[in-house]
Every structure is written in C-alpha cells, then in structure tokens.
C-alpha cells in the first residue's frame, strides 16, 4: 500500500514550503493530495509578486479577488503587492481604487502585520488604513496623500514610503501616530520635474524619539533647493541621506548616531557645486562627534577627484572638519559603486587618498578606507582596497 507522505506533513511545515512558491503555485497545491485540499486558504502570507500575473490587468485583478474571496484563515501575517522594478516589457496592472480598498479592507479585518503595496500607479490610500493598529511593517507609494483624522499605527516598527507630493503636516501625522517606529525609509519627490521642485522646496522636519534608522532620499531632477531639513531623533543610530541634499541640513539631536552614509547624486548637472555641497555638509559634520562609521559614495568621490583635477581645495576643508569633530571615528569609507568608477583615473584616486592621509585625525582608532572593484588600485598605509560592500 502506497503511503501519502504529503498528507502527513504538519501545517506549519507545509506553510514553510508555500513561502518559497509563487502565489499561483500555492493555489495549485490544492490538487496534490486530499490533505492539501484548500489548505492554502488559511496560508497567512499572501504574496502577489508573481511576474506571470501582470501580463494582463484583468487577470491580475481577478486572480487577487479570487484568492481574497476564497481565503478562510483567521489572521493575515503578510500581504504584498510588490511589482516595482518588474520587467518593463510586461503590462503594468492598474487595479481600480475600489479594488485596492477592498484588498486593504480584507487585510485590516484580518489584523495584517506586514502590508506592502508597491505598484507604480496613482491611487488614493483608503483612510481606514491609517487606523490599522495591527501593522508592524508597511511599505507604500503615496500619491499626494491627505490624512483625515489621526494615524494609529501603534505597533508599526518599519515604514517605507515613496511619497509623490507631500506636506510637513503629512509627515508629522505619520510620525506622531507611529510611537514605536524604528526604521523610516522615506523617498520624496513629485510626479514630474516641476512637481519635484515644488515639493522639495518645502521645509522638512523629522522628529521621533523612537527612530533608530533613517533613510532619506530625494527623487532626481529637483535642482538645488533652499529650504531646511531638520532631524530631531535622539535614539537614531543609522542615517542615510541620498539624492539632492537640502542647502540647510540641521541635525539637532542625534546624540546616539553611530553610522552615517552620504550619497550626493541626482543633480541636474554632472556635478553639484562645491559651494552648495559645502554649505550643507559644514552644518552637519560638527554633529558627528559620536559617529563611528562615515560612508561617502561614488558621487562624493567624483567630487573629490574633480577638485583634485581643477585645483579647487574647497571640499577638503570639509573633510578636515569631520575628522576634527568625529573623535570616535573608526572608519571613514569612500565607496566606489561597482561598475560606476570608469571615469575616475587611478592616479586621481591615489592623489586624493594621499591628501586625505595628510590630514590630522582626532580619533586614534580611525582608518580611511577606499572600496573599489578596481583590482589595480594601489594599497596605501592605512588605506585598504576591498570588494564593494553595500549599505544595508
């Protein structure tokens, strides 16, 4: 007599298997054995990231509605629609606002803990989502958001938002309503270049006593902007600032800050002016007293190399300021992004590194590190060349 070993597996192990399968295959498992019949209807992770589904908008929408209507579980642990960055040849799904609202209502009724809606299609977030207190992880693209009432994300710990058009009041509402938020990944911009310039001309303040990791990025084509960025985060440990920096960037209370990454890119011209960058960095470097790790990415190194070529020393005093104030510095990391250093000669990098090594360093444990995939780049005293290490 044959033994149906599939039917003997416990639900927990079957669900572990389901997590490695596309959602369309999870649904098909109902035909594998009697024991598996409709078992997927209680599977707590519904991940609609299957690229096969987005070849047809109606197919995509109807499949999700079928799964949602058939689901019989008690609690949704994770619900995901993450199709940003999919094959551009595939047809993008455009669900209606009613469809999105019904899917999110289903999730909130089932006390969803992790919700990802990452489809590059303009829609209005239903207001009831802002009062979903069961959320712990949330990833959204917000289009000109308007929040009516209070945000009640009492358990939320990780929040990733691409905000197309924003106001300071929206950011304040989100942060006030997320008292346990630890990671905030915020990308700001507009639907067009004109929108980006308009919305990036608004002062921005990030104020949170719970935040430990802040990632702040700006969409390209915003131009050099004049307003202030203020960060008041006493428990912040990791800070990443990428894209277009504010001319006035003030880190008011960041006494716990340990790791900083500065990524200057996205300017209308090939290189930002040293005056603009200098004004921004001069304001924030003195706040890095307790920082142990500072990472400068490709654009910063290109700026240093450009300075070396044209003989303008205005950027090097900024590095000296950082080395003066960062008394706990362990590593100052100059990272060349893999495949993007083709325009930087080895000789220029060598000259820049020598100049950096001549500077006075207040921290006795500091090392200057150059990271590159350029195998022939020379190794210097206290300067190491290793493979690229990506930021988390």
């Amino acid at each position: 007599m044959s033994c149906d070993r599939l039917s003997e597996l416990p639900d927990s192990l079957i669900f572990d298997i389901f997590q490695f399968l596309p959602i369309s295959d999870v649904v098909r498992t109902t035909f594998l054995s009697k024991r598996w019949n409709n078992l997927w209807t209680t599977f707590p992770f519904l991940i609609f990231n299957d690229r096969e589904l987005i070849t047809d908008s109606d197919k995509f929408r109807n499949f999700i509605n079928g799964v949602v209507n058939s689901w019989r579980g008690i609690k949704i642990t994770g619900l995901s629609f993450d199709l940003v960055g999919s094959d551009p040849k595939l047809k993008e799904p455009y669900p209606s606002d009613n469809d999105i609202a019904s899917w999110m209502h289903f999730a909130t009724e089932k006390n969803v803990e992790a919700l990802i809606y990452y489809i590059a299609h303009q829609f209005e977030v239903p207001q009831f989502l802002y009062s979903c207190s069961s959320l712990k992880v949330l990833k959204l693209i917000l289009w000109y958001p308007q929040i009516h009432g209070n945000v009640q994300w009492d358990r939320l710990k990780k929040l990733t938002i691409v905000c197309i058009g924003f106001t300071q009041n929206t950011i304040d509402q989100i942060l006030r309503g997320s008292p346990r938020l630890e990671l905030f990944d915020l990308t700001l911009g507009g639907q067009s270049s004109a929108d980006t310039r308009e919305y990036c001309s608004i002062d921005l303040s990030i104020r949170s006593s719970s935040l430990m990791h802040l990632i702040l990025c700006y969409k390209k084509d915003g131009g050099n902007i004049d307003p202030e960025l203020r960060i008041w985060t006493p428990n912040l440990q990791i800070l990443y600032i990428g894209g277009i920096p504010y001319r006035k960037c003030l880190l008011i209370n960041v006494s716990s800050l340990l790791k900083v990454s500065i990524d200057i890119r996205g300017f209308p011209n090939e290189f930002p002016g040293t005056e603009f960058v200098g004004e921004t960095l001069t304001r924030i470097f003195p706040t890095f007293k307790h920082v142990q790790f500072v990472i400068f990415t490709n654009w910063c190194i290109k700026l240093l190399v450009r300075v070396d070529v044209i003989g303008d020393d205005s950027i090097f005093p900024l590095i000296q300021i950082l080395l003066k104030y960062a008394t706990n510095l362990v590593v100052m990391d100059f990272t060349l992004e893999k495949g993007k250093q083709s325009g930087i000669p080895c000789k220029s990098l060598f000259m820049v590194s020598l100049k950096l090594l001549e500077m006075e360093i207040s921290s006795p444990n500091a090392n200057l590190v150059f990271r590159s995939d350029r195998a022939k780049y020379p190794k210097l005293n206290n300067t190491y060349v290793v493979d690229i290490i990506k930021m988390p």
Side-chain angles (χ1 to χ4, degrees), residues 262 285 294-298 300-301 319 322 332-335:
I262 299 175
F285 279 174
V294 179
I295 294 92
F296 293 103
T297 55
N298 204 62
C300 295
I301 301 174
I319 304 297
L322 175 56
M332 181 181 288
D333 187 327
F334 296 89
T335 297

Side-chain angles (χ1 to χ4, degrees), residues 6-7 18 36 64 69 73 90 121 167 249 280 304:
L6 288 178
S7 297
F18 282 177
W36 288 42
I64 295 175
N69 292 332
L90 298 178
H121 159 61
T167 65
C249 182
T280 302
L304 283 171

Side-chain angles (χ1 to χ4, degrees), residues 8 96 133 185 191 204 215 319 352 366 372 375 382:
E8 296 177 356
S96 68
S133 59
D185 184 344
Q191 193 171 6
L204 176 63
I215 301 172
I319 304 297
V352 168
S372 171
N382 292 328

Side-chain angles (χ1 to χ4, degrees), residues 151-280:
V151 175
Q152 299 175 23
W153 292 336
D154 301 334
R155 300 180 184 178
L156 191 65
K157 291 189 175 183
K158 296 181 180 180
L159 176 61
T160 299
I161 292 179
V162 175
C163 197
I164 310 299
F166 78 100
T167 65
Q168 180 61 53
N169 186 52
T170 300
I171 303 299
D172 289 341
Q173 286 177 288
I174 290 173
L175 292 176
R176 282 198 305 266
S178 309
R180 298 184 181 180
L181 190 63
E182 296 178 1
L183 185 151
F184 189 23
D185 184 344
L186 177 63
T187 298
L188 298 172
Q191 193 171 6
S192 64
S193 296
D195 279 349
T196 301
R197 284 191 290 271
E198 175 184 353
Y199 286 100
C200 286
S201 297
I202 301 173
D203 288 347
L204 176 63
S205 177
I206 304 293
R207 188 182 183 93
S208 171
S209 59
S210 63
L211 208 58
M212 300 177 68
H213 190 166
L214 175 61
I215 301 172
L216 190 56
C217 301
Y218 299 89
K219 197 176 178 182
K220 294 183 178 181
D221 303 326
N224 295 358
I225 51 181
D226 291 324
E228 290 186 351
L229 167 65
R230 293 175 176 265
I231 299 176
W232 191 96
T233 49
N235 291 306
L236 190 68
Q237 297 180 13
I238 301 175
L239 173 63
Y240 173 93
I241 298 179
I244 303 170
Y246 281 92
R247 186 179 295 273
K248 299 177 183 178
C249 182
L250 305 176
L251 307 186
I252 299 171
N253 186 350
V254 289
S255 56
S256 301
L257 193 59
L258 297 176
K259 189 174 185 178
V260 178
S261 180
I262 299 175
D263 187 3
I264 302 172
R265 68 174 72 195
F267 285 82
N269 301 317
E270 184 180 2
F271 292 104
T274 55
E275 179 183 354
F276 178 82
V277 176
E279 186 173 342
T280 302

Side-chain angles (χ1 to χ4, degrees), residues 84 88 135 177 196 371:
V84 169
L135 282 169
T196 301
R371 301 186 186 276

Side-chain angles (χ1 to χ4, degrees), residues 103-112 115 128-129 132 134:
W103 301 338
M104 291 188 175
H105 186 263
F106 158 77
T108 56
E109 279 196 327
K110 300 298 182 180
N111 296 316
V112 64
L115 175 61
F128 61 77
L129 184 65
C132 181
S134 62

Side-chain angles (χ1 to χ4, degrees), residues 277-295:
V277 176
E279 186 173 342
T280 302
L281 300 184
T282 301
R283 291 174 180 268
I284 64 174
F285 279 174
T287 63
F288 289 176
K289 183 176 181 180
H290 303 289
V291 171
Q292 297 180 5
F293 301 91
V294 179
I295 294 92

